[in-house]
C-alpha cells in the first residue's frame, strides 16, 4: 500500500533511506524546516538551507520515484532571537513560489516564552499574507499541554484563520481533543522517546476516528525511523483494521490536507486512489 509521509527531515537522512521508503510504498514526503542541531546566527544560513530544501532535495528524492515537498520557517527552537526572526521572515517570500513549497512550518513553540510566541504570530501573519498552509510544531514532554493550549488559543482568536488549512503536529493523548475540537488537522508523530509509538497512535485513531488525523515519521538526525509509517501500517493490520481504514490514515488524509495547495500534485493514478 502506498503512503505519504508529511513530516520527514530528509536533509538528515541518507539516500539509502529514500530507497527503503520507496520500496515500502512511499510516494511523497513533505519536509518542514527544522533546527539544524545548533542555533544558526544569520539569515544567510537560512537562505542556504532553503535553497537545499527547494533545489537539491527534490532531485535526490526523484531518483527514487518520491515527490519531495517542503515548508519554510525559522524553527521554534530559534524563535527566541527576535532580530534573527525578522531577518529570516523577510527572505522567506522569495522562496514561496518555488514548485515544491507548500506553506509555512513547522512553526510553534519550544519553551513557551513571550519571544517565541511573538515569532510564532509573525509566521502566522506571513502565512495569511501569502495564503499559505500552516504546519505547527508543539513542544516536547512537560511543556506539551501548555504549549499546545497557547498555540490553539492564539490561532482560534484570529478570525482570518481557516482551521482546515492548519495541521497541528505531535499531538498526544492529552492534546488531541483540543486540536480536533477547534477544527484543525492533527498529526500523530511516530517518533521514539519524545512522541508516540505506533500502538499509542492507533489507540487514538480508534478513539477519535480517522477524520482530520494523519501519521508521520518526523525522521531526522535523532533516534528515529524513516519506515515508521509502514511499521505502523503493519500494526494496524495486526489489529484487524481494513485496508480502506489504513489507506485513509496514511494516504488519503495527508493528500486531502496537502492538496489545498495546488502545487501538491500526485500522479493521476495516485490521485484517483484518494477519492
Amino acid at each position: 500500500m502506498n503512503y505519504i509521509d508529511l513530516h520527514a527531515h530528509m536533509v538528515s537522512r541518507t539516500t539509502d533511506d529514500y530507497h527503503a521508503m520507496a520500496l515500502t510504498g512511499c510516494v511523497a514526503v513533505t519536509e518542514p524546516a527544522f533546527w539544524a542541531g545548533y542555533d544558526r546566527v544569520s539569515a544567510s544560513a537560512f537562505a542556504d538551507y532553503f535553497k537545499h530544501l527547494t533545489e537539491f532535495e527534490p532531485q535526490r528524492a526523484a531518483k527514487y520515484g518520491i515527490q519531495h515537498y517542503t515548508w519554510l520557517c525559522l524553527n521554534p527552537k530559534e524563535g527566541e532571537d527576535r532580530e534573527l526572526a525578522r531577518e529570516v521572515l523577510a527572505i522567506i517570500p522569495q522562496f514561496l513560489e518555488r514548485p515544491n513549497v507548500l506553506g509555512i512550518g513547522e512553526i510553534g513553540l519550544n519553551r513557551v516564552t513571550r519571544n517565541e510566541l511573538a515569532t510564532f504570530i509573525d509566521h502566522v501573519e506571513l502565512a495569511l499574507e501569502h495564503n499559505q498552509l500552516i504546519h505547527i510544531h508543539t513542544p516536547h514532554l512537560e511543556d506539551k499541554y501548555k504549549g499546545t493550549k497557547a498555540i490553539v488559543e492564539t490561532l482560534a482568536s484570529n478570525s482570518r484563520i481557516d482551521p482546515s488549512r492548519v495541521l497541528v503536529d505531535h499531538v498526544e493523548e492529552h492534546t488531541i481533543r483540543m486540536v480536533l475540537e477547534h477544527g484543525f488537522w492533527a498529526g500523530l508523530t511516530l517518533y521514539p522517546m519524545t512522541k508516540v509509538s505506533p500502538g499509542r497512535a492507533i489507540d487514538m485513531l480508534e478513539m477519535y476516528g480517522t477524520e482530520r488525523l494523519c501519521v508521520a515519521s518526523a525522521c531526522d538526525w535523532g533516534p528515529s525511523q524513516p519506515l515508521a509509517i509502514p511499521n505502523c501500517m503493519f500494526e494496524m493490520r495486526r489489529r484487524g483494521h481494513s485496508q480502506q481504514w489504513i489507506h485513509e490514515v496514511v494516504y488519503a488524509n495527508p493528500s486531502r490536507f496537502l492538496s489545498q495547495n495546488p502545487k501538491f500534485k500526485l500522479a493521476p493514478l495516485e490521485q484517483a486512489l484518494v477519492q
Side-chain angles (χ1 to χ4, degrees):
M1 181 184 295
N2 291 344
Y3 66 92
I4 297 165
D5 194 337
L6 55 70
H7 191 152
H9 297 294
M10 299 310 293
V11 298
S12 60
R13 309 304 305 194
T14 68
T15 53
D16 288 345
D17 292 326
Y18 272 123
H19 186 211
M21 292 168 76
L23 288 175
T24 54
C26 182
V27 296
V29 299
T30 82
E31 179 161 2
F34 83 135
W35 189 56
Y38 60 91
D39 290 342
R40 287 160 282 205
V41 298
S42 70
S44 62
F46 281 88
D48 289 341
Y49 175 46
F50 297 157
K51 288 178 182 177
H52 183 106
L53 290 174
T54 57
E55 296 175 7
F56 177 75
E57 209 59 43
Q59 296 176 16
R60 195 161 71 111
K63 294 178 181 177
Y64 298 89
I66 295 174
Q67 297 173 223
H68 179 280
Y69 297 91
T70 193
W71 310 74
L72 304 178
C73 74
L74 177 141
N75 191 268
K77 280 182 176 286
E78 294 158 300
E80 189 69 22
D81 188 334
R82 293 290 292 138
E83 181 179 354
L84 177 63
R86 284 187 283 268
E87 293 174 356
V88 174
L89 284 160
I91 68 172
I92 288 176
Q94 65 186 275
F95 292 94
L96 292 179
E97 295 305 315
R98 297 201 173 188
N100 74 323
V101 177
L102 296 179
I104 302 298
E106 56 183 302
I107 61 172
L109 301 172
N110 179 42
R111 295 180 180 175
V112 200
T113 67
R114 183 176 300 177
N115 280 348
E116 287 179 4
L117 185 58
T119 297
F120 169 66
I121 292 172
D122 286 346
H123 277 94
V124 171
E125 288 298 319
L126 180 68
L128 291 171
E129 179 184 350
H130 294 274
N131 193 31
Q132 298 292 305
L133 296 177
I134 298 175
H135 188 182
I136 302 289
H137 163 92
T138 52
H140 305 294
L141 303 175
E142 67 272 8
D143 287 329
K144 175 69 69 178
Y145 184 86
K146 175 184 176 183
T148 304
K149 187 172 185 289
I151 288 167
V152 167
E153 289 179 348
T154 299
L155 295 172
S157 68
N158 190 330
S159 62
R160 294 180 295 150
I161 291 176
D162 177 355
S164 70
R165 291 175 59 81
V166 178
L167 183 138
V168 180
D169 220 339
H170 315 325
V171 300
E172 296 183 20
E173 291 86 348
H174 56 312
T175 60
I176 184 172
R177 183 185 296 275
M178 77 168 86
V179 171
L180 292 175
E181 286 181 345
H182 280 85
F184 302 113
W185 284 77
L188 300 165
T189 308
L190 307 168
Y191 192 103
M193 299 168 57
T194 60
K195 306 296 191 308
V196 303
S197 65
R200 287 173 60 196
I202 299 167
D203 286 345
M204 284 183 271
L205 287 161
E206 290 172 347
M207 290 178 64
Y208 292 94
T210 61
E211 186 177 357
R212 286 184 285 115
L213 275 167
C214 305
V215 295
S217 71
C219 58
D220 57 15
W221 36 256
S224 52
Q225 299 179 347
L227 300 185
I229 293 178
N231 284 330
C232 187
M233 292 160 62
F234 177 83
E235 179 64 14
M236 290 173 176
R237 287 191 290 268
R238 192 191 67 80
R239 289 201 191 186
H241 288 292
S242 69
Q243 291 291 90
Q244 181 59 38
W245 193 88
I246 299 170
H247 171 79
E248 283 292 304
V249 177
V250 304
Y251 189 92
N253 277 355
S255 180
R256 290 180 184 121
F257 173 70
L258 298 170
S259 293
Q260 293 180 93
N261 186 319
K263 286 190 285 187
F264 182 80
K265 295 180 180 179
L266 295 168
L269 177 60
E270 297 293 335
Q271 185 61 50
L273 293 173
V274 179
Q275 307 306 320

